Amino acid sequence: MATMAESTLTSDDPFNEAVATTGLFLIITAIIAVVVAFASWGADEPLIAAVAGIAALVGFAASIMCFKSEAPDRTPAEVAA
């Protein structure tokens, strides 16, 4: 496990794996919520459609935040090397 003193993150770090897994679960939840929103909208249930749509937006935004926090920040010089 990486300690706080280390500046490099590895893929074997359990915290990074938990963040990535959480991001995957959130994106799957967001996809299901979009389907429920469209189905509820088609069934003339606007309240359920709105709640599911909001849940989809929140889940998608949270998954992007998980993936962004896990991704390493690289400078252009590091990418070119």
Side-chain angles (χ1 to χ4, degrees):
M1 185 165 132
T3 62
M4 294 182 114
E6 294 178 1
S7 63
T8 58
L9 299 174
T10 63
S11 62
D12 293 334
D13 185 17
F15 178 75
N16 287 339
E17 290 184 16
V19 170
T21 303
T22 302
L24 288 174
F25 282 134
L26 286 170
I27 197 72
I28 290 170
T29 303
I31 291 169
I32 292 170
V34 165
V35 171
V36 169
F38 281 133
S40 298
W41 188 19
D44 218 13
E45 293 287 340
L47 182 63
I48 295 173
V51 170
I54 291 169
L57 287 174
V58 170
F60 179 74
S63 70
I64 294 299
M65 296 297 256
C66 286
F67 293 139
K68 177 124 177 87
S69 71
E70 183 204 12
D73 292 334
R74 295 186 187 180
T75 62
E78 291 174 345
V79 173

